[in-house]
């Protein structure tokens, strides 16, 4: 039973990396997302930063594919605790997890930056212009060669009322 903003009591947020336990989930596509990322990103020996990692499903899945390090960051301490527990249980030593709000986070130097879904919460809390600035600042500060970004605007089927991809570009 795991309470927290990124999890609901009794639910594991991602469908990965504990499928053998049959946890019910409210995200059913983590494994397919990992497969797509594996196909399109040079993960071998890369340093990967996953912003808004929640309970680490994507981070942990990618960590099994050969990067030298995967760093997952989320503001939810309970979700990070769960991610750390799973990494420890499965001896996934290249994965590390940090608790931080995005506006306070100092990104390390990485090769690949993932920013999936979490950006919409930044828009809701700080507004579109501030969030757009972060969208360019964080990759520049991290030195990432690749960034995978998901806006989660309405046309991305998530809830930022009245916002479309055209507002983001």
């Amino acid at each position: 039973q795991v309470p927290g903003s990124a999890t609901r009591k009794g639910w594991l947020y991602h469908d990965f990396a504990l499928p053998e336990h049959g946890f019910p989930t409210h995200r059913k596509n983590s494994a397919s997302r990992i497969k797509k990322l594996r196909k399109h990103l040079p993960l071998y020996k890369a340093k990967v930063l996953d912003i808004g990692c929640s309970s680490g499903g994507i981070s942990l899945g990618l960590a099994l594919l050969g990067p030298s390090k995967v760093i997952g960051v989320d503001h939810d301490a309970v979700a990070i605790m769960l991610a750390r527990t799973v990494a420890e249980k499965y001896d996934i030593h290249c994965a590390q997890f940090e608790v931080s709000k995005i506006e306070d986070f100092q990104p390390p130097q990485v090769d690949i930056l993932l920013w999936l879904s979490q950006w919409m919460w930044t828009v809701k809390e700080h507004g579109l212009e501030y969030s757009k600035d972060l969208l360019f600042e964080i990759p520049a500060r991290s030195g990432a060669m690749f960034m995978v970004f998901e806006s989660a605007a309405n046309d991305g089927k998530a809830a930022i009322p009245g916002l479309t991809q055209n507002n983001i570009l």
Side-chain angles (χ1 to χ4, degrees), residues 37-101:
L37 292 169
R38 179 183 189 183
K39 181 179 178 180
H40 296 288
L41 293 173
L43 293 168
Y44 183 69
K45 295 199 180 210
K47 292 179 184 168
V48 180
L49 174 60
D50 183 2
I51 295 175
C53 70
S54 185
S55 57
I58 301 287
S59 300
L60 291 163
L62 291 177
L64 298 173
L65 299 177
S68 63
K69 183 184 276 189
V70 177
I71 303 160
V73 178
D74 200 280
H75 75 279
D76 185 338
V78 174
I80 292 298
M81 180 186 68
L82 179 58
R84 288 176 179 157
T85 300
V86 173
E88 184 177 323
K89 174 183 171 44
Y90 288 100
D91 294 320
I92 305 173
H93 301 291
C94 70
Q96 70 181 58
F97 297 94
E98 298 179 26
V99 177
S100 181
K101 288 189 170 201

Side-chain angles (χ1 to χ4, degrees), residues 94-155:
C94 70
Q96 70 181 58
F97 297 94
E98 298 179 26
V99 177
S100 181
K101 288 189 170 201
I102 191 64
E103 59 270 21
D104 301 328
F105 182 64
Q106 296 299 317
Q109 292 293 300
V110 295
D111 304 304
I112 299 168
L113 171 64
L114 303 178
W115 200 341
L116 306 175
S117 301
Q118 186 273 344
W119 189 75
M120 74 175 180
W121 302 110
T122 306
V123 172
K124 287 180 176 184
E125 188 169 330
H126 298 287
L128 181 59
E129 291 310 311
Y130 176 87
S131 301
K132 285 168 74 172
D133 289 344
L134 278 182
L135 185 59
F136 291 95
E137 288 174 19
I138 290 177
R141 289 189 312 215
S142 73
M145 297 294 294
F146 299 93
M147 180 172 86
V148 178
F149 169 72
E150 179 180 84
S151 69
N154 273 345
D155 49 355

